[in-house]
Amino acid sequence: MMKNAIIDTDRESSLESPERLASKITGLLILFFFVAVAAISTTLYVSWHLEGSAAAINDAGSQRMRAYLIGYLMTGGDNGQDRATYAELQSELDRFDEILKDLECGDPARPLAAPHDAETLAEIQTLHREWKLHGRQLITQYLRAYGNADASQFADAYRQWVGGFVGQINNLVTRMEHNYTYSTNLLRVIQITLLALALLGTLILIRFFFIHVIRPLDQIHTGIQHMTQSDFGARLPVRTRDEFGAVAAGFNLMAAHLQQFYGNLENLVASKTSSLEERNAQLALMYGVTAIINEANDLDTLCASFISHVTQAIGADAGSVRLTSETNGDMYMVAHTGLPVDFLSREMAIRCGECICGDAAEKGLPVIVDPTSDADTSPKLCSNMGFRTVSAFMINHDAFVIGIFNLFFKSERVFSPSEQSMLETLGRHLGVAVEFQRLRSRDREHAIAEERNLLAQELHDSIAQALSFLNIQVKLLQGAMDNGRPEQAQKALDQIRQGVKESYEDVRELLLHFRTQAGAGHDLDAAIRTAVDRFELQTEIPVSFLSAGKRAPLEPDKQLQVLHIVQESLSNIRKHAQATQVDIRVERNADKTIITVSDNGVGFDPEDVIEKGGHVGLKIMKERASRVGARCGIESRPGQGTTVILEV
């Protein structure tokens, strides 16, 4: 009871909403961050202000020297000979105006900024007005009269005026120096305050992390050391409701569970080991069955390998696979292992609903019975053969039962729920594989039927028509011979000879079509080149072949159909086009492969041919293209040749 109370108390503590330590740390760091940013920003502002004031003091001091320099340059300007002095005087005047403007408005690029107090700004404005009203006006008048006798009187007036003006500049410089000293002292005070804040913040952070992080971690470390020494009675004090408090509560809960379960650890390990071994055996069985399903090439091999592997893995004495007939619904044994000959002779075929196998198939539910019981449904033959446990599991596909597989045991066998579930899953996998093998068989039959249909169409279009033509010519030959007309007989004989030659060429083309399957899977360009060489040899018509672009090779079935279409196109050119040049292009891009066969023959009207029932060869070409998901188009006009375009 005491242990349960401790566990319940720890669980309640661990489930309480903690006061987030991360929130405290984040809040404290954000506070220090804003304090630091404010102090640094103030320092930067004062430093920038000091830099601007220093530049302003320097420029204002230079104005005193420049004012006296202007007065010196105005001495001797009445002779009008020194043009360099005139230019220098003009330059100094412009520079004086520029500096006065900077003192009044500031220059962020340098930076230069006079103190922003009202008295300093008023003195700068007064100085500027005094310069405009007197100093600049006297200098301007002097420059206008430069070289004349009147210039000296303006120079004398300037020299009398400049002394007082320089005194005003001195007052301005003194005021700005006092302001600079004040800003310097303020900067020192801010820096000392920032240093004190840094020391105080460091002490606060050290104290905070010691109380909230280091001490809880040390306690957890001490508890872990006790746990490594198998002291499962160790507990941690839960002083806070933050993350460390939750960790301490969880540690206490874990220690209580370990203390509670440590006594029967061996039993728990044995149980888990047994469960793990069972699962490993099931996984091995699943992997083995999967490999069998992937490797089997026919239905009998598939079922035989499946029941042999499952029987060995489960430890059964015998096993069998029965599949439902698609015609009469009976169940036939298609594979077995370990069954006596007498049993096989009587159980090769059963009806649905007969015995436990047929009953299981009819109900769609697995059956596990003891054949020695007196139940009416008990398999007496199985009991006579010495089996004490008989099981039947479904072979399903798309919710339909297509068969069952049996496992026979000569001793009592109890299936765990996981084993039953696994065997039912294997039955579903086998059902998919069986249906796949049946579909493959149907596909092969369908492919053979389609190929025979195409062959019949080609025979009808070529040899059958040629034989009909020869039959007519034989009748004409017979009539000409009966009527004693040697010229007509010779003409009919020539027609028969030409018809036999064309029939022979048609037979050779058909044989070429049949042999093309052997070359499927090789390079398409090489296969087309072989067909082109044979066409040129038969017809002596030159063929231009060009291949452009690169992409993955076509699948063998697609390549085979493409080659048949190209051969059919060349056959139509030989029979009907009367062409003197043929062009074949194979163009490949990222999306598709385009094969174009063009000739310069007589051409035809495709719509007219279609309305009249069409040429069987054209229909075969389109059917072959449709079979592999391609598009076959024919472009032609009478007298303008024909182009066959195949897009794969």
Side-chain angles (χ1 to χ4, degrees):
M1 292 295 292
M2 181 62 69
K3 291 181 178 179
N4 292 335
I6 293 174
I7 293 174
D8 293 340
T9 303
D10 290 340
R11 183 181 290 110
E12 291 176 0
S13 300
S14 63
L15 294 177
E16 292 179 356
S17 300
E19 299 173 355
R20 302 290 293 177
L21 178 61
S23 301
K24 296 179 182 178
I25 295 175
T26 303
L28 185 61
L29 292 178
I30 290 175
L31 175 62
F32 276 100
F33 172 76
F34 280 115
V35 171
V37 168
I40 293 172
S41 300
T42 305
T43 304
L44 291 175
Y45 174 77
V46 174
S47 299
W48 179 81
H49 185 70
L50 285 174
E51 187 177 359
S53 298
I57 292 171
N58 185 55
D59 280 8
S62 69
Q63 292 293 75
R64 294 178 295 188
M65 180 192 69
R66 190 167 283 104
Y68 283 123
L69 178 60
I70 291 174
Y72 171 77
L73 292 174
M74 292 172 66
T75 303
D78 54 348
N79 53 16
Q81 302 299 322
D82 193 355
R83 304 307 298 176
T85 301
Y86 179 87
E88 185 178 0
L89 181 60
Q90 183 65 50
S91 175
E92 292 296 332
L93 177 62
D94 295 339
R95 180 61 180 160
F96 201 100
D97 289 338
E98 181 181 351
I99 291 175
L100 279 180
K101 182 179 179 182
D102 288 345
L103 288 174
E104 186 173 4
C105 301
D107 184 5
R110 295 181 57 181
L112 181 147
H116 295 296
D117 59 289
E119 296 178 356
T120 302
L121 293 176
E123 282 198 33
I124 293 174
Q125 293 173 357
T126 301
L127 192 68
H128 203 169
R129 283 197 302 271
E130 181 67 19
W131 168 254
K132 280 187 176 181
L133 292 176
H134 298 92
R136 198 178 198 291
Q137 186 174 1
L138 291 173
I139 295 170
T140 302
Q141 291 174 346
Y142 174 82
L143 290 174
R144 290 175 181 171
Y146 189 76
N148 300 328
D150 296 337
S152 60
Q153 63 178 350
F154 296 117
D156 293 339
Y158 177 80
R159 285 192 289 272
Q160 293 177 3
W161 170 82
V162 74
F165 183 70
V166 169
Q168 292 180 353
I169 295 176
N170 286 333
N171 293 335
L172 176 62
V173 171
T174 301
R175 180 174 296 280
M176 287 194 296
E177 287 175 346
H178 289 165
N179 189 279
Y180 183 85
T181 301
Y182 173 79
S183 297
T184 302
N185 293 332
L186 178 61
L187 179 61
R188 289 195 184 98
V189 171
I190 294 173
Q191 290 174 339
I192 293 172
T193 304
L194 183 59
L195 177 61
L197 287 175
L199 293 174
L200 180 62
T202 302
L203 294 175
I204 292 174
L205 287 176
I206 291 174
R207 178 65 177 172
F208 177 85
F209 281 104
F210 178 79
I211 294 175
H212 294 279
V213 178
I214 297 175
R215 188 165 64 185
L217 281 176
D218 184 64
Q219 293 173 349
I220 293 173
H221 180 262
T222 302
I224 292 175
Q225 286 182 333
H226 284 285
M227 294 290 289
T228 57
Q229 297 171 4
S230 300
D231 182 10
F232 298 109
R235 298 293 185 270
L236 299 181
V238 183
R239 295 191 175 93
T240 61
R241 296 176 58 194
D242 55 17
E243 288 85 348
F244 282 108
V247 170
F251 180 90
N252 294 338
L253 183 62
M254 176 190 66
H257 280 294
L258 288 175
Q259 189 175 20
Q260 182 179 357
F261 294 116
Y262 185 71
N264 55 357
L265 181 60
E266 293 183 358
N267 295 333
L268 183 62
V269 170
S271 175
K272 293 296 182 181
T273 303
S274 176
S275 175
L276 183 60
E277 290 177 352
E278 182 181 355
R279 290 183 180 275
N280 287 337
Q282 293 177 1
L283 285 175
L285 177 57
M286 293 288 288
Y287 288 145
V289 170
T290 302
I292 290 171
I293 290 174
N294 291 332
E295 294 172 0
N297 294 321
D298 59 82
L299 191 60
D300 292 339
T301 302
L302 169 67
C303 294
S305 300
F306 172 85
I307 194 61
S308 177
H309 189 79
V310 172
T311 300
Q312 182 179 0
I314 294 297
D317 297 294
S320 65
V321 175
R322 302 175 188 269
L323 295 180
T324 304
S325 172
E326 296 179 324
T327 56
N328 56 16
D330 291 346
M331 301 183 67
Y332 295 92
M333 187 180 297
V334 296
H336 58 85
T337 178
L339 291 175
V341 177
D342 294 341
F343 184 91
L344 293 175
S345 61
R346 300 173 60 181
E347 291 288 328
M348 290 303 295
I350 62 173
R351 294 187 176 276
C352 189
E354 181 181 349
C355 195
I356 67 164
C357 300
D359 186 57
E362 188 177 42
K363 295 179 179 179
L365 296 174
V367 175
I368 302 172
V369 299
D370 180 4
T372 61
S373 64
D374 294 331
D376 295 335
T377 58
S378 297
K380 302 304 180 183
L381 180 60
C382 296
S383 176
N384 296 335
M385 294 297 171
F387 296 121
R388 292 296 174 263
T389 302
V390 178
S391 62
F393 294 92
M394 301 304 100
I395 301 176
N396 300 323
H397 180 262
D398 286 343
F400 293 101
V401 178
I402 63 173
I404 63 167
F405 68 94
N406 300 105
L407 296 174
F408 304 89
F409 301 86
K410 293 184 178 180
S411 60
E412 292 186 4
R413 179 66 154 85
V414 178
F415 290 91
S416 65
S418 61
E419 284 182 322
Q420 291 193 42
S421 176
M422 178 194 64
L423 291 172
E424 291 175 10
T425 302
L426 292 179
R428 288 191 290 270
H429 288 338
L430 179 60
V432 173
V434 167
E435 195 64 23
F436 174 72
Q437 292 293 342
R438 289 176 173 176
L439 288 175
R440 286 182 59 182
S441 177
R442 295 192 192 101
D443 286 342
R444 286 192 291 267
E445 294 175 0
H446 181 67
I448 293 173
E450 283 190 349
E451 200 61 37
R452 287 177 177 175
N453 181 48
L454 291 175
L455 175 60
Q457 291 176 343
E458 290 186 5
L459 288 173
H460 176 272
D461 189 43
S462 56
I463 298 177
Q465 293 182 2
L467 291 176
S468 176
F469 171 76
L470 290 175
N471 185 39
I472 295 173
Q473 295 301 323
V474 167
K475 291 180 180 180
L476 293 176
L477 174 63
Q478 183 66 43
M481 293 177 63
D482 293 342
N483 297 326
R485 298 175 182 176
E487 296 83 2
Q488 292 183 359
Q490 183 63 40
K491 183 178 179 181
L493 184 61
D494 292 340
Q495 292 288 344
I496 292 173
R497 184 181 295 109
Q498 180 66 26
V500 170
K501 180 181 178 181
E502 291 181 358
S503 297
Y504 175 69
E505 291 177 350
D506 288 341
V507 170
R508 290 187 62 187
E509 283 191 6
L510 288 175
L511 292 176
L512 175 63
H513 286 7
F514 301 152
R515 292 172 180 170
T516 304
Q517 178 68 36
H522 297 290
D523 183 56
L524 177 63
D525 292 349
I528 294 178
R529 170 55 65 186
T530 301
V532 167
D533 292 341
R534 292 178 179 175
F535 175 81
E536 290 180 328
L537 183 63
Q538 292 176 354
T539 63
E540 298 182 355
I541 299 175
V543 179
S544 171
F545 176 64
L546 177 62
S547 177
K550 297 288 184 181
R551 73 183 308 239
L554 296 176
E555 294 87 343
D557 58 334
K558 290 186 178 181
Q559 180 173 309
L560 178 62
Q561 300 304 329
V562 168
L563 190 54
H564 279 323
I565 293 172
V566 172
Q567 290 173 337
E568 183 66 29
S569 301
L570 293 175
S571 177
N572 290 337
I573 293 173
R574 179 183 63 80
K575 295 177 183 178
H576 311 292
Q578 303 178 20
T580 59
Q581 177 65 39
V582 178
D583 295 316
I584 300 179
R585 288 180 58 87
V586 179
E587 300 178 72
R588 299 175 176 87
N589 54 43
D591 298 326
K592 56 188 174 182
T593 299
I594 303 175
I595 299 93
T596 306
V597 182
S598 304
D599 66 75
N600 62 349
V602 296
F604 63 96
D605 187 351
E607 295 183 358
D608 183 56
V609 172
I610 293 174
E611 290 177 359
K612 293 179 179 180
H615 193 274
V616 176
L618 301 181
K619 181 180 179 183
I620 292 175
M621 291 165 62
K622 291 184 177 293
E623 287 181 357
R624 289 188 182 277
S626 176
R627 182 183 299 179
V628 294
R631 188 179 70 86
C632 182
I634 300 173
E635 299 177 358
S636 181
R637 289 184 180 180
Q640 298 185 14
T642 302
T643 299
V644 177
I645 302 174
L646 178 64
E647 297 182 0
V648 188

